Amino acid sequence: MTNAAGRGELIRTLVIEDNELDAGLALRALTRAGMAIESVVVEDEAGLRAALITFVPDIVLCDFSFPGFDGFAALRIVHETYPDVPLIFVSGAISEERAALALQSGAVDYVMKSSLIRLPIAVERAVGAARLAARRADRARWQVKRLERLWRVATDPLLRGDDIVPAILQQAAVDVGGDDAFRAFLVRSAGTGTTVVACASGAGSLPVGRTEAAALQALVDTSRDGTNRTRSWGDTTASAGAPGALAVAGWRAVITSQFAAGGDNYELAFASNEPVELFSDHDLDYMNVLVSSLAHQIQVNALEISLRDEEERARVHAQRLEASWQIVNDARIKDVDKWLRLLNQAADSISPEQGYRGTFWRLEGENMICEAVGESAKHGLRSDVIKIGAVLPIASSPVAVIIASAIATRSWDDIRASDPEITLAQASGTRACILTVFKAGGASWVLSLASGQPATKAIGPLDRSFVEVLASFFSSHVQQRWQFARIQYQQSHDALTGLLNRSHFRSQTRSLAAKGRTYAIALVDINAFHEINDSFGHVVGDTVIVEVSSALAGQAQPGEVVGRIGSDVFAIYIPDPPSADDVMERVRGFAGVFRRMFATGARNKEVISCTASIGAAVAQGDGSTFETIFSRADAALAIAKERGISEIVAYEPGMEREAQRRALLRSDLAAAIAGNQFELYFQPHVELGTGRVTGCEALIRWHHPQRGLIFPDQFIPFAEQTGMITEIDTWVLNEAIATATTLSAKRPDFRLYFNLSGRQAGDSAIVRAFIKAARAGVPLRNIGVEITETDAMRSVRATGRVCRALRKLGVHVAIDDFGVGYSSLSSLKSLPFDVLKIDRSFVSGLMTDGHDAAIARTIISIADHFGFASVGEGAETPGEIEWLWKNGCRYVQGYGIARPMPIDAFTLWLANYKAKTPELRRARARRRIPVLRHELPI
Ligand code: C2E
Ligand code: MG
Ligand code: MG
């Protein structure tokens, strides 16, 4: 028969029976049923108490009634000592009520003495049940104990956060199976990878074998259903559901739980090489407690780490800011060095474990230009790509993305080639970077910190703010430099053309000259620029200056410097010319600029031409100072201007004196204009046929305070070149008109001629001036103007226009110095004149040079032919006067009649003048009658 209490297992039986026979019968019933019995029999209370001290029964068989003692009392006494030992009443006679009472009081069964046959079964059941209960109680106590141990480890104040998880595992490895047979593993899976976080046996941590790693991976792979779940196999070889890898690793018994903590998934697994009976509910509970305890611990650890991290980051951030400020405020570090130091420092401190490279870029159009680079070791980026001055297309950099998103600062922990946001060739191999874009000094800039490795630690807001702080330094530095450069630029450059201004051209080229052996200075002066200003206005004048300056600058070769040193004067510095010929070659190159037309900026796209005079001087290394070379070029320029249109003059010794003279003349002339130092002298015109004075020519004189009387030849050409003539012209016009008005009051036929300057000849301003005079009552028929043949021929059409207008007004026009200006007869035909004045050079040669006489005769006949009156100019002797008369010249002007005189003397001369014909003069001369002083005041 089966024995629930265990076959052959000794059953210690305490029999409480006062009847020895009955006791024997009961025991025999048990042994007869094949049970192994060790028994003690007591017959009263005292015996019972004594027996319980030495004997621990598995079962108590108790009679119900004794003298002075009963079954209930016995039950009480037994349970006082052994509450879990089952007691069966074995009674001769028992009422039903007492039987029920007996069972209620704690007895497990009752058997009648009359049917002892039932006793073995009752005993067997009672002992079995008691032993099972005892085992259960043991298990529960064990569960409590192992949970208590777990709790102790988890809350051990001596363990640091990182050590708690391995310690829990180590304890659990022992407790899960109740011996050292189990090994414990904790595996974390993040993304696609798994890591064994800890593994332990009861003896401590242990290495994970290859097959074990595969077994763990199999567990992770098969438990990915997202919910916390515990699975177990008592014998992996016998269980169909166990992954094969478990048995391969030699694992027979496995219990595993999957849980999530701190954002990752974990697999907790225990494995033993021995199979076990099925894991109990206690084990499952234990696993649950373990899992929640580990999850809690992992979370606490993660929190701790992140707090610790945050503190650490804040500390590191403060340190790196401090380091940056020290560099910024270090007055010993200059400019770009400061940039490099800052970038180096930033590259080191963004992530000390990982190498970075700091670069500072200026954005220009489609490109970015590297202004500074600083790097830490191990940045892992391609080094050949980025150096100072490197140019990259913006589109090939993450900068393009940040600009497009219009966010100042961005960071990428891991840029991949497949990143949809950044579809670009990673020229430098950037994987992690922080970028900030800002504007300063009129440009856009980028500060970039980049690494060739993905960020080992996520780039956080503190990192970005560090880069922004750095950028703010760069920004203010760039702004300062820019403002400084702008001020310097404004001080050194001409605002209109952007070329160096006078003082900076001089200082810059002076220091260049100090370094070089030879050099040349060329000065370029636009001819008659004031005329462009006068006739087109200053806006056009400015446009032309800008055009010319950019043309000259465009002509300059590397090393040559172009500056604007006066309103229409440019200077060019030519370094190291191999020879003086090379200098002239270069200068001709610059002069070539004036062959083109220049835009006026006018809406009708009008263009004008202009010419320039150029003076050049070469420093030959003869010790001449820079100032000397400069003033030599200036002197050569003055000569070039004097020589006329488009001259290039190379300096020759002596030119400075001439230039000085001109400079002095310029200032004296300015003083003369301002101080009214001019006077008109008058020289009469006499009609040869009648001897009558018909008019006069007004000739200007300058009373120089030191040099005395100065004749027009000495200052009129200069005034014309310098533009100072305009004021002189106005003065002459007014003075001549006033005198003509006075003189004509008494002599209605008298005509006063005055000389027009070259620029007046073709300018209708003179016409307007006469119209104005006419309106003021000036008798214009008493006025004539003289235009030299050379001036008239310069622009026949313009002169013709002015002359026609003047003649309409009644003003006579004389063509002066005729015969030297090479006019063609056809142009004479188209010019409407009244008078033709034979140049003095022919008249003075009349008596001695047959050619002069022939020319004079021709001129007279031309005048007759065209209907002009002829005037012989500069006739000094009676012979010359007579020749003119005889050859049909109508008028004469010359010392032979009278020298030019101031107005008072002239008025007196007129009053005393008696008309004499040439014949009369000749007769007098023959009779040696002295000529009256007032008649011929030579
Ligand atoms: P021009 O218009 O041909 O004037 C005649 C010049 O011949 C005058 O010289 C006059 O003094 C000089 N002359 C007259 N008769 C004789 C003579 O018998 N012998 C010699 N040797 N010379 C004689 P001046 O006054 O020195 O003027 C020189 C030139 O200066 C003028 O030549 C004229 O072209 C210019 N000029 C004079 N006054 C003015 C003026 O008010 N305005 C302008 N724009 N030019 C003037
Ligand atoms: Mg004249
Ligand atoms: Mg003349």
Side-chain angles (χ1 to χ4, degrees):
M1 102 183 237
T2 55
N3 185 347
R7 183 175 294 164
E9 218 174 302
L10 189 68
I11 298 172
R12 295 188 303 170
T13 312
L14 177 64
V15 183
I16 308 166
E17 178 60 74
D18 53 354
N19 185 323
E20 202 174 332
L21 183 67
D22 283 353
L25 282 174
L27 288 170
R28 203 175 312 136
L30 296 181
T31 49
R32 228 189 253 154
M35 297 170 110
I37 299 294
E38 182 192 345
S39 60
V40 169
V41 179
V42 297
E43 53 190 34
D44 55 16
E45 185 179 349
L48 176 64
R49 289 192 189 276
L52 286 176
I53 293 169
T54 55
F55 188 77
V56 183
D58 290 318
I59 183 86
V60 177
L61 305 176
C62 184
D63 191 8
F64 205 72
S65 49
F66 306 87
F69 188 48
D70 69 6
F72 293 118
L75 182 69
R76 213 170 37 247
I77 290 166
V78 170
H79 279 178
E80 268 169 17
T81 313
Y82 301 111
D84 298 328
V85 172
L87 185 145
I88 299 173
F89 285 117
V90 182
S91 169
I94 188 166
S95 68
E96 249 176 58
E97 291 139 59
R98 287 197 63 87
L101 198 62
L103 289 179
Q104 279 168 10
S105 65
V108 296
D109 208 348
Y110 71 88
V111 175
M112 304 299 280
K113 283 179 179 169
S114 53
S115 51
L116 279 178
I117 187 90
R118 214 178 61 83
L119 186 63
I121 296 164
V123 165
E124 191 179 69
R125 194 190 300 134
V127 169
R131 281 191 176 161
L132 189 66
R135 254 205 321 278
R136 280 218 182 106
D138 274 355
R139 285 246 194 89
R141 265 197 301 280
W142 156 248
Q143 179 79 340
V144 168
K145 281 219 173 91
R146 66 179 177 179
L147 289 176
E148 203 178 275
R149 279 195 291 275
L150 180 62
W151 180 76
R152 277 216 191 92
V153 174
T155 57
D156 187 344
L158 295 177
L159 290 176
R160 280 178 2 105
D162 294 348
D163 300 334
I164 293 176
V165 168
I168 288 176
L169 277 196
Q170 199 174 330
Q171 184 61 51
V174 178
D175 282 346
V176 79
D179 52 33
D180 284 350
F182 276 88
R183 292 147 69 76
F185 303 89
L186 184 64
V187 181
R188 179 180 58 219
S189 34
T192 52
T194 57
T195 326
V196 178
V197 178
C199 59
S201 67
S205 62
L206 51 117
V208 179
R210 202 169 44 79
T211 54
E212 286 186 319
L216 289 170
Q217 187 62 53
L219 289 178
V220 170
D221 291 344
T222 53
S223 64
R224 248 195 229 120
D225 64 357
T227 56
N228 292 1
R229 207 167 64 122
T230 300
R231 294 176 296 161
S232 63
W233 299 274
D235 185 351
T236 57
T237 55
S239 156
L246 305 184
V248 174
W251 293 353
R252 293 289 292 280
V254 175
I255 180 158
T256 179
S257 252
Q258 187 248 331
F259 64 96
D264 293 327
N265 285 325
Y266 288 85
E267 188 83 31
L268 171 67
F270 294 91
S272 166
N273 296 346
E274 298 298 326
V276 296
E277 274 181 44
L278 275 180
F279 289 96
S280 67
D281 289 349
H282 282 309
D283 296 328
L284 299 184
D285 285 348
Y286 182 67
M287 281 302 270
N288 280 341
V289 174
L290 206 50
V291 158
S292 57
S293 163
L294 282 172
H296 170 74
Q297 198 54 51
I298 287 167
Q299 246 141 4
V300 168
N301 282 357
L303 199 66
E304 231 174 57
I305 287 168
S306 81
L307 281 175
R308 227 187 301 146
D309 259 22
E310 214 164 278
E311 267 171 31
E312 178 64 9
R313 277 180 183 230
R315 195 181 59 78
V316 167
H317 184 62
Q319 266 176 359
R320 63 194 181 185
L321 282 180
E322 172 71 27
S324 302
W325 281 120
Q326 268 171 12
I327 297 172
V328 169
N329 294 322
D330 191 336
R332 288 165 304 174
I333 314 173
K334 290 278 162 287
D335 247 25
V336 174
D337 272 353
K338 214 167 248 193
W339 294 3
L340 301 184
R341 293 272 284 270
L342 277 171
L343 290 174
N344 274 326
Q345 191 263 330
D348 275 336
S349 56
I350 275 293
S351 164
E353 311 87 54
Q354 191 187 3
Y356 270 82
R357 177 199 278 155
T359 40
F360 183 48
W361 302 84
R362 184 166 46 82
L363 303 188
E364 204 178 278
E366 305 284 294
N367 290 323
M368 44 201 276
I369 295 129
C370 183
E371 296 282 339
V373 187
E375 48 193 29
S376 71
K378 307 183 295 185
H379 54 73
L381 294 160
R382 275 180 50 203
S383 340
D384 55 321
V385 188
I386 294 161
K387 296 199 165 61
I388 292 178
V391 179
L392 277 189
I394 293 173
S396 77
S397 141
V399 171
V401 177
I402 177 170
I403 289 174
S405 63
I407 296 169
T409 307
R410 281 197 62 172
S411 63
W412 287 268
D413 288 342
D414 187 4
I415 299 177
R416 284 167 193 281
S418 60
D419 206 322
E421 199 179 23
I422 307 166
T423 51
L424 38 91
Q426 299 288 312
S428 60
T430 302
R431 284 295 291 275
C433 74
I434 309 177
L435 284 178
T436 184
V437 176
F438 60 91
K439 282 200 166 68
S444 286
W445 306 81
V446 173
L447 188 65
S448 152
L449 278 139
S451 173
Q453 311 293 329
T456 46
K457 219 191 273 172
I459 296 170
L462 283 183
D463 298 321
R464 282 190 290 274
S465 95
F466 174 54
V467 174
E468 276 174 355
V469 169
L470 270 190
S472 74
F473 161 72
F474 275 88
S475 159
S476 73
H477 199 212
V478 163
Q479 187 73 26
Q480 271 172 21
R481 272 167 49 119
W482 180 71
Q483 259 155 0
F484 182 68
R486 213 166 60 145
I487 290 167
Q488 263 196 333
Y489 183 88
Q490 282 166 350
Q491 280 175 350
S492 60
H493 285 72
D494 168 44
L496 179 63
T497 62
L499 294 178
L500 285 177
N501 61 22
R502 184 182 184 84
S503 66
H504 275 76
F505 177 84
R506 274 175 175 266
S507 66
Q508 194 166 316
T509 52
R510 188 186 293 115
S511 52
L512 286 173
K515 286 179 212 147
R517 253 184 340 101
T518 60
Y519 60 91
I521 299 281
L523 301 178
V524 180
D525 189 328
I526 301 177
N527 291 328
F529 179 69
H530 47 82
E531 280 179 14
I532 296 175
N533 263 344
D534 291 350
S535 21
F536 295 93
H538 285 273
V539 175
V540 170
D542 282 356
T543 311
V544 170
I545 288 289
V546 170
E547 288 266 300
V548 168
S549 70
S550 73
L552 289 175
Q555 186 66 30
Q557 289 178 356
E560 293 177 345
V561 182
V562 180
R564 182 186 180 207
I565 61 167
S567 69
D568 59 347
V569 186
F570 299 87
I572 299 155
Y573 172 86
I574 301 165
D576 302 322
S579 69
D581 285 348
D582 288 288
V583 171
M584 291 316 280
E585 184 62 36
R586 287 300 303 132
V587 171
R588 274 193 290 277
F590 284 103
V593 157
F594 293 92
R595 267 186 242 122
R596 49 172 273 198
M597 302 295 277
F598 296 100
T600 57
R603 227 181 272 149
N604 58 6
K605 302 226 160 57
E606 195 179 359
V607 290
I608 55 172
S609 67
C610 59
T611 60
S613 304
I614 303 181
V618 187
Q620 303 280 23
D622 62 356
S624 302
T625 63
F626 176 81
E627 295 308 329
T628 306
I629 303 301
F630 205 95
S631 61
R632 282 178 183 173
D634 215 12
L637 174 65
I639 306 299
K641 286 192 83 70
E642 216 147 84
R643 286 189 193 163
I645 294 168
S646 305
E647 276 285 343
I648 299 176
V649 171
Y651 169 80
E652 282 165 23
M655 282 181 175
E656 293 105 321
R657 240 176 298 118
E658 174 58 18
Q660 272 170 10
R661 187 191 66 75
R662 292 172 62 84
L664 193 65
L665 183 56
R666 181 187 278 267
S667 66
D668 282 358
L669 202 53
I673 292 165
N676 203 9
Q677 294 172 8
F678 301 113
E679 185 180 7
L680 286 183
Y681 274 38
F682 302 91
Q683 189 178 30
H685 290 163
V686 170
E687 192 175 30
L688 283 162
T690 60
R692 224 164 37 90
V693 176
T694 54
C696 68
E697 177 177 5
L699 296 157
I700 193 167
R701 299 291 180 265
W702 174 10
H703 295 285
H704 191 284
Q706 282 87 39
R707 290 162 60 196
L709 193 68
I710 298 182
F711 288 87
D713 288 340
Q714 285 172 276
F715 64 92
I716 291 292
F718 180 81
E720 296 225 24
Q721 282 165 19
T722 55
M724 297 169 105
I725 193 73
T726 319
E727 279 116 319
I728 299 176
D729 282 343
T730 311
W731 181 85
V732 170
L733 174 83
N734 293 335
E735 199 71 12
I737 286 177
T739 313
T741 310
T742 317
L743 291 176
S744 63
K746 283 191 186 161
R747 300 162 180 267
D749 298 333
F750 191 87
R751 195 176 291 268
L752 183 148
Y753 286 85
F754 67 93
N755 295 283
L756 293 189
S757 66
R759 68 176 53 209
Q760 278 178 303
D763 186 353
S764 50
I766 188 75
V767 180
R768 289 197 294 276
F770 277 120
I771 293 172
K772 198 173 149 201
R775 289 208 180 110
V778 173
L780 296 187
R781 61 189 169 76
N782 297 113
I783 293 176
V785 293
E786 297 188 8
I787 300 170
T788 67
E789 186 192 8
T790 319
D791 287 340
M793 292 306 140
R794 198 164 287 142
S795 172
V796 175
R797 278 180 61 195
T799 313
R801 218 172 30 239
V802 169
C803 292
R804 265 189 294 279
L806 291 180
R807 292 186 74 218
K808 268 196 196 148
L809 290 170
V811 176
H812 272 199
V813 180
I815 187 148
D816 204 355
D817 303 345
F818 191 80
V820 294
Y822 314 107
S823 18
S824 66
L825 290 180
S826 66
S827 51
L828 269 190
K829 200 176 103 190
S830 63
L831 285 171
F833 298 127
D834 300 286
V835 177
L836 206 145
K837 295 183 83 177
I838 306 165
D839 189 69
R840 187 156 56 86
S841 60
F842 306 118
V843 175
S844 62
L846 284 179
M847 312 306 290
T848 51
D849 189 327
H851 291 294
D852 284 349
I855 292 169
R857 216 175 279 123
T858 312
I859 295 173
I860 293 166
S861 71
I862 288 172
D864 283 348
H865 176 81
F866 284 104
F868 306 150
S870 50
V871 178
E873 208 176 15
E876 293 189 355
T877 63
E880 287 160 6
I881 298 170
E882 192 176 331
W883 188 97
L884 290 168
W885 172 62
K886 275 190 177 162
N887 285 279
C889 184
R890 280 191 61 190
Y891 300 95
V892 67
Q893 175 187 352
Y895 294 174
I897 305 295
R899 283 185 178 250
M901 296 163 271
I903 186 64
D904 291 347
F906 183 61
T907 320
L908 190 65
W909 182 87
L910 276 180
N912 293 329
Y913 178 78
K914 296 216 169 57
K916 295 175 198 73
T917 61
E919 288 139 307
L920 190 55
R921 280 173 205 278
R922 204 176 50 239
R924 279 202 179 169
R926 263 201 310 272
R927 277 184 271 139
R928 300 185 185 277
I929 299 168
V931 173
L932 286 173
R933 273 187 76 81
H934 65 265
E935 287 174 342
L936 288 172
I938 297 175

